[in-house]
Amino acid sequence: MQAPLVVGIDLGGSHVTAAVVDAAGTVWARAKRDIDRHKPAAALLGDDVASTVRDAVQQAGLSLREIVSIGMGLPGNIDRARGVCRFSPNFGWRDVEVAKPLEQVLEVPVYLLNDVRSHTLGELHFGAGKGVASFVMLALGTGIGGGIVIGGRLLEGSHSGGGELGHITVEPDGPACGCGSHGCVEALGAAPALARAGREAVAAGKAPGLAALAGSPEAIQGSTITQAAQAGDVGSLEVLAQVGRYVGIAVASVITTLDPDLVLIGGGVAAAGDLLLEPLRAEVGRRCRMIPEGATPIRRAALLEEAGVMGAAALALEACGHLPAALEHCVHAPSAAL
Ligand SMILES: [Zn+2]
């Protein structure tokens, strides 16, 4: 055991996961439950999320008194100093208190960060970004999130919006995006866009392998397309290549802006591996002409399914001074409230 012990919480649109993690990044126990994201925030946090934390702590054979701090990653724009979610389209939240309802029932300080910025911290401390001075992370899932580390520091930006790479425009007149803009890479490269392109390929008779595997168009998901592509379905391979090209356009813009040491691609869609990454790298090669071709490695992130909780645990460990800080950790409500 490497004290101290913290809890990392990954709050997503359909479920919440909590894990007890020590300072070496070892997961002691984890718990997960489905959630209803339309439930009032105070009840969702005070009941469902808090119970998941208690379950994980209990499974580790510990009590909450032995947990020094809690980190939580959630989708949206976060005011870390106040422990408030300013805006989350996924939950329909605007200026919602998130840290306080949890602290009131758990009596442990809670620190918040945007989910993919949190994944990025996890990769920095425990994953593929360890020892890398500057890297960029994109997580391709239900949406596309991002995070940027420059000189060992996580970029937050003036309005906590630094690293929102999913909202880089890749098609000026492209489909509407959840952010209110059009043609963002998220609208063309996240899992729903992948599924839509898969259904179109099936409807056009171009993906018989996918049609057979899914059974019905409604059953087509990103994972089904990856599976069909791995089995050689040409239409599914083309759908993944198209997504790779769109993400490649965004990655090329980021590389051109920052010239980072490394680009990491995570999230569920990245499970397609080189079927996605090869067309992505080729697109980057076509567009990044100011640095030597292939000079920036583009790899899969390392933490995979654990990225959410490990990132949140890294945040908690940083906040209590047990990992080198990649961002300023404000002393917020917990120390005053507890
Ligand atoms: Zn957008």
Side-chain angles (χ1 to χ4, degrees), residues 76-313:
N77 186 284
I78 308 300
D79 182 338
R80 293 194 300 116
R82 292 191 300 136
V84 163
C85 174
R86 290 196 193 102
F87 177 47
S88 176
N90 307 55
F91 289 97
W93 291 351
R94 277 198 186 271
D95 286 313
V96 165
E97 293 265 15
V98 176
K100 205 175 281 177
L102 281 171
E103 287 167 346
Q104 279 168 349
V105 293
L106 299 173
E107 300 184 329
V108 179
V110 175
Y111 297 88
L112 308 181
L113 191 61
N114 164 275
D115 55 356
V116 182
R117 247 76 88 208
S118 164
H119 294 190
T120 308
L121 271 193
E123 293 290 337
L124 173 67
H125 290 296
F126 303 123
K130 209 170 173 178
V132 180
S134 302
F135 72 94
V136 169
M137 161 97 192
L138 280 94
L140 317 180
T142 312
I144 296 184
I148 296 172
V149 170
I150 299 289
R153 306 285 291 175
L154 186 77
L155 179 83
E156 289 204 278
S158 291
H159 312 91
S160 311
E164 283 291 353
L165 307 179
H167 303 286
I168 292 175
T169 300
V170 293
E171 280 280 12
D173 301 312
C177 179
C179 72
S181 182
H182 289 263
C184 299
V185 65
E186 173 169 302
L188 289 151
L194 186 63
R196 189 177 62 233
R199 283 192 288 271
E200 284 167 8
V202 165
K206 292 178 180 167
L210 176 61
L213 187 69
S216 71
E218 301 75 45
I220 294 175
Q221 295 183 332
S223 55
T224 340
I225 295 167
T226 297
Q227 222 181 321
Q230 282 163 343
D233 181 64
V234 175
S236 300
L237 285 165
E238 176 47 36
V239 167
L240 282 175
Q242 182 61 38
V243 165
R245 287 194 287 272
Y246 279 127
V247 178
I249 295 171
V251 168
S253 295
V254 180
I255 292 177
T256 302
T257 310
L258 302 171
D259 190 10
D261 297 324
L262 173 69
V263 174
L264 296 175
I265 308 291
V269 177
D274 279 344
L275 299 179
L276 175 83
L277 293 183
E278 280 304 321
L280 193 164
R281 291 182 188 115
E283 192 64 37
V284 168
R286 272 192 288 277
R287 291 175 188 274
C288 285
R289 311 305 300 174
M290 299 303 285
I291 56 171
E293 191 162 347
T296 314
I298 301 171
R299 295 194 197 117
R300 267 188 88 180
L303 297 174
L304 308 178
E305 297 82 23
E306 298 281 37
V309 287
M310 291 299 286

Side-chain angles (χ1 to χ4, degrees), residues 7-11 15-20 29-35 43-60 64 70 72 102 105-106 309:
V7 170
I9 306 172
D10 181 21
L11 180 63
H15 57 262
V16 57
T17 312
V20 177
R30 65 175 70 68
K32 183 175 177 177
R33 71 181 62 198
D34 292 337
I35 55 157
L44 175 69
L45 295 159
D47 299 339
D48 305 65
V49 177
S51 300
T52 311
V53 171
R54 286 194 197 93
D55 290 349
V57 170
Q58 194 178 20
Q59 279 170 35
L64 276 167
I70 294 174
M72 179 156 122
L102 281 171
V105 293
L106 299 173
V309 287

